[in-house]
Amino acid sequence: MALDLSLYLVTDSTPAILRGHDICKVVEEALKGGVTVVQYRDKKSDTGDLVKTAKKLHEITRRYNVPLIINDRVDVAIASGAEGVHLGQDDMSTTKPSRIRRHAVKAVEEGADYLGIGTIFATPTKTNTKSIIGTAGAKIILDSLSRLDRSVSTVAIGGINLSNVQRVLYQSAGQSGKQLDGVAVVSAIMAADDPKSAAEEIKKIMAVPPPFA
Ligand code: 3NM
């Protein structure tokens, strides 16, 4: 399965986001709208429930030929047959190029297929983020990554939605020409009244060059 990171959906099971909707239904609608990766992120459920939901989600994502990634839990990824696991780098609270390069090299050497770059904008979805780096920070990171021997894919995360996604892609592009491979969103799709059209709209605008380019 090729890794297309362009529209990366991260789930959130909290009531403020799901508002009583079924996570599987929301994810399936988002898949219909064109999301290219699904990450199951659930910090609260116990292992039994995590595996149960992950298996259900995997049945759905497979039908759309989209990889399912499990946040933080290798055991749940294995038990559900998911395609991957997303591991955090907790101490990545910096935009200092030398430290970023060190972290990136380590992650790539340890086998990471992609890196998440964030937090781009402050977001109520995750309030314990250590630094808000903006698109300027993302650009520094991309330039720094471009100097590695190996190429590594990237997605930006944090406060990204329909109204800023074009700007995020455009303003993050480094002087080196290295661009984001995609954007990761939670609320812009998970909390949308119509997750299918939310995903479609985001994809549509991502394909359009920004008017100020
Ligand atoms: N990780 P929304 S920010 C899950 O910075 C997550 O690492 C982040 O939610 C990071 O798209 C975040 O609703 C939440 O802003 C993003």
Side-chain angles (χ1 to χ4, degrees):
M1 205 183 267
L3 193 59
D4 173 356
L5 295 166
S6 54
L7 184 54
Y8 185 129
L9 176 68
V10 181
T11 71
D12 189 311
S13 307
T14 57
I17 299 273
L18 271 186
R19 296 173 301 140
H21 294 117
D22 174 43
I23 185 172
C24 291
K25 290 209 176 112
V26 176
V27 167
E28 178 145 19
E29 287 304 299
L31 287 161
K32 285 182 194 162
V35 303
T36 59
V37 184
V38 174
Q39 181 193 132
Y40 175 39
R41 180 174 181 270
D42 180 339
K43 300 287 192 190
K44 298 231 169 83
S45 298
D46 63 25
T47 303
D49 284 343
L50 285 175
V51 171
K52 215 160 84 185
T53 305
K55 281 183 173 168
K56 280 201 232 163
L57 287 174
H58 195 223
E59 271 178 36
I60 300 166
T61 55
R62 280 167 71 161
R63 280 196 269 113
Y64 291 82
N65 205 27
V66 161
L68 177 68
I69 312 276
I70 308 294
N71 182 272
D72 253 350
R73 297 283 300 261
V74 180
D75 56 339
V76 176
I78 291 169
S80 62
E83 281 70 30
V85 63
H86 181 91
L87 302 173
Q89 278 188 320
D90 286 342
D91 52 350
M92 186 78 182
S93 58
T94 179
T95 51
K96 206 171 153 206
S98 59
R99 284 197 60 204
I100 291 159
R101 266 197 295 277
R102 233 170 29 234
H103 278 285
V105 168
K106 187 162 171 278
V108 174
E109 279 177 358
E110 287 173 353
D113 294 305
Y114 70 89
L115 299 178
I117 296 179
T119 307
I120 304 297
F121 305 123
T123 171
T125 311
K126 187 176 179 187
T127 48
N128 66 344
T129 52
K130 288 191 187 142
S131 46
I132 309 299
I133 62 169
T135 53
K139 187 175 172 139
I140 292 171
I141 293 175
L142 286 172
D143 271 334
S144 178
L145 294 179
S146 72
R147 282 179 225 116
L148 297 180
D149 294 339
R150 268 175 264 199
S151 84
V152 55
S153 302
T154 55
V155 287
I157 186 161
I160 301 172
N161 56 42
L162 184 62
S163 53
N164 61 25
V165 64
Q166 219 183 7
R167 179 158 66 88
V168 168
L169 291 173
Y170 177 70
Q171 292 182 345
S172 298
Q175 261 139 18
S176 59
K178 186 163 169 65
Q179 296 178 0
L180 292 165
D181 293 280
V183 291
V185 304
V186 181
S187 51
I189 293 177
M190 291 302 294
D193 288 335
D194 182 347
K196 176 173 176 274
S197 46
E200 281 169 351
E201 292 300 313
I202 294 172
K203 285 201 87 159
K204 227 185 281 169
I205 201 147
M206 284 173 77
V208 178
F212 43 81

